[in-house]
Amino acid sequence: MHTKEFDIVVVGSGAGGGAVAKELAPLAAHGMKIAVLEWGPKFREADYTGREVEMANRLYFDGGGFLTKDRNMTLAFARAYGGSTVVYTGTSLVIPKETLGRWGVPGLSWDDLSRRSQKYKEENNVHLLEPDLINDNNRLFYEGCRQLGYQVEQFPLNLKGCQGSGMCNMGCPNAAKQGTHRVQLPAAEKQGVQVITRCEVKRIDMETRALEAVVHPQESVGEPSKWAPGRYQIKAKIVVVAAGAVNSPALLLRSGLGGRLPALGRYWTCHPALILVAQHDRSITNYYGHPKSYYCDEFVDPDKFLLETCMYFPFVTAKNLAGFGPEHASMMKRMDRLQMILVLALDEALAQNRVTIDHEGNPVVDYRIGDQTIDSFVASMRASAKIFFAAGARRVHAPAAKKFFIEAEEKNQIDALITRDDFKLGKVSISAAHLMGGCRMGTNAQDSVTDVWGQVHGLPWLFAADASLFPKCAQINPYLTIMALADRAAEAVRSRVGELKTQPVGV
């Protein structure tokens, strides 16, 4: 067993952990020992090959197919230097004021989160993509929405030198996406923060504040860890958990906090998602160019779904078509003609939807697709089919339709052809990548895990700083909000670091 000792340890290096590391880095520059422990490796530039299945297995837990307990939904979340900021599309939206009002967390104001979000927009070069870089797949969505009178907006993106490879979800092979692996972590390391990769944290001893961890040996890709492979005990005076909405609550549950914090792991949400596909009569530019330029929030109220442009590569596309045989094959043979829309259902944060752990301590996500979410999916398929046809599509594949294809001649029968009765869990491929909750913020230990600054109730030295803090779903792509909340947690640590460092162990 190796032993290490630090003043501050951050678990995780994604949007939350990376932001915390950068914000605390001036303390390291003045002599404080700070480490970031990241489960995944730091990939070399040559490791980003652009090959779909290869990169999915390198970057994601379970290759991006982590199953919920009832096996009705797959979850995509990454482990790497930079966490899930390596694999998201770079969409960077400030949380709407209405959403923060719905969260209803005393002491958390929209003005404060907006100000902090703006800081990260500037740091990460967030801007609107130039019109000549927007491909047909995105342009057709915009035109279809506008023709139907739907509100459509352009995504701000955190890019620098985008070459339109379309591989955002598989790690940009051109180093264009400005995630924490490009911005915050290198900045933190320059000031003395140590980032230890391939380091899986098993549990935290609440009495001694020591973390139990394993550094895994180097595999065929990525840089070696700075520490030798083996088991470690890492003593820390302050711990910030930022391992994501699955692994942060799982770590705290393994550490024995479930008894004193009944909300730990609960109120978990994820924007359950569908990928919808249409086929045009001609080739369009789709998988060349940035995949996500527009979104439509016309249906947030009352239907509770968001529509976004997207483009996925063959494996994910094939998985998301409901059916097999000649019709499936005919669609896959004409990838060059496909237009895609991503549906995000805006799910409720329910106590019964939760992260638990199995007998070996591995996370288990117990999440049920509810009636409201199914209603949202059916309404979203109808709306998307209308957008596809308004954009000139020849035929549409909707997973809950009575037939594999809805042809353009049938566009006036969409509501009759896409029905709730035909929506079958297990038949429809549902996935999620916006994982939120499990360590929700609040005012007391009965229905929340942390206070409004991310400090775990009753443990002044322990903080959470990632999407697990969300008390309800974000209703938008969440990464900028994660960074803003992490910024608050870092500020809380910074302002009390002297007090926390000297606090007796065992408190």
Side-chain angles (χ1 to χ4, degrees):
M1 174 81 78
H2 305 272
T3 59
K4 300 282 185 180
E5 191 163 345
F6 289 89
D7 294 302
I8 303 172
V9 166
V10 182
V11 182
S13 68
V20 169
K22 188 268 300 179
E23 286 300 308
L24 297 183
L27 299 177
H30 286 86
M32 198 166 286
K33 290 188 67 179
I34 302 175
V36 175
L37 309 181
E38 166 56 51
W39 190 336
K42 181 178 183 180
F43 290 106
R44 303 180 176 96
E45 298 303 333
D47 295 327
Y48 294 103
T49 63
R51 290 191 282 271
E52 182 188 12
V53 176
E54 180 177 71
M55 290 311 302
N57 287 323
R58 284 180 183 176
L59 290 163
Y60 290 93
F61 286 89
D62 292 353
F66 185 99
L67 281 164
T68 52
K69 185 178 180 181
D70 64 6
R71 308 178 76 82
N72 282 326
M73 181 166 61
T74 58
L75 309 177
F77 53 109
R79 54 183 166 194
Y81 176 94
S84 288
T85 69
V86 177
V87 297
Y88 77 140
T89 49
T91 50
S92 303
L93 293 169
V94 177
I95 193 168
K97 187 177 289 188
E98 295 76 15
T99 302
L100 207 67
R102 191 175 57 84
W103 282 12
V105 179
L108 185 66
S109 75
W110 183 82
D111 287 343
D112 181 70
L113 280 193
S114 177
R115 176 178 60 79
R116 295 176 195 267
S117 297
Q118 186 62 36
K119 179 174 74 173
Y120 289 100
K121 288 176 72 173
E122 293 169 6
E123 281 186 13
N124 294 53
N125 198 42
V126 173
H127 62 284
L128 297 177
L129 202 64
E130 295 82 359
D132 60 339
L133 297 178
I134 294 175
N135 65 14
D136 289 342
N137 182 54
N138 284 284
R139 184 179 52 76
L140 288 168
F141 176 81
Y142 176 85
E143 292 175 357
C145 287
R146 298 296 291 177
Q147 188 170 327
L148 294 170
Y150 298 158
Q151 183 170 323
V152 58
E153 303 286 345
Q154 188 173 355
F155 272 116
L157 302 168
N158 65 351
L159 307 173
K160 188 177 288 183
C162 178
Q163 298 182 36
S165 72
M167 294 300 301
C168 307
N169 294 130
M170 298 297 160
C172 179
N174 302 310
K177 185 168 51 187
Q178 301 299 293
T180 58
H181 60 312
R182 304 286 179 198
V183 182
Q184 281 77 25
L185 293 172
E189 288 188 284
K190 283 182 181 175
Q191 296 192 70
V193 174
Q194 299 181 47
V195 181
I196 310 302
T197 56
R198 304 182 190 274
C199 184
E200 177 189 359
V201 178
K202 298 289 190 180
R203 65 183 295 274
I204 306 167
D205 188 311
M206 294 298 151
E207 295 300 319
T208 65
R209 301 182 206 172
L211 293 81
E212 297 175 13
V214 173
V215 172
H216 297 285
Q218 187 180 9
E219 299 173 344
S220 59
V221 296
E223 297 182 4
S225 177
K226 294 174 181 172
W227 291 356
R231 296 174 59 221
Y232 283 79
Q233 183 188 63
I234 304 154
K235 296 179 180 177
K237 297 181 174 66
I238 301 168
V239 178
V240 181
V241 176
V246 171
N247 283 311
S248 282
L251 172 58
L252 297 186
L253 286 167
R254 287 196 299 272
S255 304
L257 289 184
R260 63 194 293 178
L261 296 168
L264 180 58
R266 296 184 179 274
Y267 303 98
W268 195 87
T269 71
C270 62
H271 293 162
L274 296 179
I275 299 170
L276 304 180
V277 186
Q279 189 177 70
H280 287 259
D281 278 330
R282 60 181 177 83
S283 297
I284 62 173
T285 52
N286 46 23
Y287 47 79
Y288 295 111
H290 192 278
K292 196 177 288 292
S293 289
Y294 293 109
Y295 67 99
C296 172
D297 59 3
E298 179 84 17
F299 306 98
V300 170
D301 291 314
D303 294 312
K304 298 189 181 304
F305 67 85
L306 195 67
L307 301 179
E308 300 183 352
T309 49
C310 69
M311 188 66 207
Y312 292 96
F313 281 76
F315 183 85
V316 171
T317 302
K319 176 179 91 66
N320 282 279
L321 300 180
F324 300 93
E327 292 173 317
H328 187 285
S330 72
M331 185 161 249
M332 292 304 301
K333 285 177 181 175
R334 296 317 308 252
M335 284 288 294
D336 62 318
R337 297 185 176 188
L338 300 188
Q339 181 189 349
M340 297 188 191
I341 295 175
L342 180 69
V343 174
L344 300 178
L346 308 178
D347 54 337
E348 296 294 325
L350 304 175
Q352 61 264 34
N353 288 332
R354 58 188 298 205
V355 174
T356 62
I357 51 175
D358 65 15
H359 66 283
E360 295 180 338
N362 300 309
V364 176
V365 178
D366 189 356
Y367 181 95
R368 300 295 179 94
I369 305 290
D371 289 341
Q372 174 59 60
T373 297
I374 294 175
D375 288 342
S376 297
F377 278 151
V378 173
S380 70
M381 281 187 265
R382 291 170 174 168
S384 297
K386 293 171 185 175
I387 293 169
F388 282 136
F389 285 129
R394 172 189 166 196
R395 54 191 189 180
V396 170
H397 171 72
K402 293 184 177 300
K403 46 198 284 199
F404 191 88
F405 288 120
I406 300 174
E407 304 292 341
E409 296 76 18
E410 300 171 301
K411 64 182 179 184
N412 293 326
Q413 304 170 47
I414 287 172
D415 289 353
L417 290 172
I418 301 173
T419 70
R420 199 182 194 288
D421 289 343
D422 293 309
F423 189 101
K424 307 293 184 189
L425 289 173
K427 171 192 172 188
V428 178
S429 179
I430 304 171
S431 58
H434 297 171
L435 316 183
M436 300 163 278
C439 299
R440 69 191 320 226
M441 297 179 293
T443 56
N444 64 76
Q446 292 307 304
D447 62 7
S448 63
V449 175
T450 81
D451 69 9
V452 73
W453 293 94
Q455 184 215 298
V456 175
H457 294 304
L459 295 166
W461 54 271
L462 181 60
F463 291 78
D466 56 23
S468 70
L469 290 170
F470 288 27
K472 297 178 181 177
C473 78
Q475 298 192 319
I476 57 162
N477 302 47
Y479 293 95
L480 209 55
T481 307
I482 298 170
M483 299 180 93
L485 291 176
D487 194 80
R488 288 172 56 86
E491 180 179 322
V493 170
R494 231 177 20 242
S495 66
R496 296 168 51 203
V497 67
E499 164 203 344
L500 297 175
K501 273 187 63 179
T502 56
Q503 198 166 57
V505 170
V507 174

